[in-house]
Amino acid sequence: MLFPEIDALARAAAGDIPSPADPQIAALFSALGLAADRRAEAARQALRRWAEDRKAPQVERDHAARRLAALAAR
């Protein structure tokens, strides 16, 4: 099962990955597309794809869908 990977994506989608505290490094991360908000959106998209992937086991799709629903409820 790939629940740890799904859960890591959900944490990233929730913005639970810290951004750099240094403003110059944060600006660089943003310019490179690594800003927390961009990472969060990319993680949400990955979760959506996982939840809809007919090749993935149903239990994984269901888990990804539950994590997406929990993010939407925030």
Side-chain angles (χ1 to χ4, degrees):
M1 301 279 170
L2 297 174
F3 286 4
E5 288 85 352
I6 292 169
D7 294 340
L9 278 174
R11 283 191 300 278
D16 294 342
I17 297 174
S19 290
D22 183 316
Q24 290 180 327
I25 294 175
L28 175 63
F29 271 42
S30 181
L32 295 173
L34 300 173
D37 58 340
R38 290 186 183 170
R39 289 182 289 176
E41 182 54 33
R44 280 183 190 267
Q45 290 175 5
L47 273 175
R48 280 187 205 103
R49 284 192 302 273
W50 206 322
E52 297 170 357
D53 184 359
R54 298 291 177 198
K55 294 178 184 175
Q58 184 67 46
V59 66
E60 289 178 9
R61 292 193 325 246
D62 291 345
H63 187 68
R66 281 192 302 275
R67 294 304 303 254
L68 275 171
L71 288 171
R74 283 181 141 196

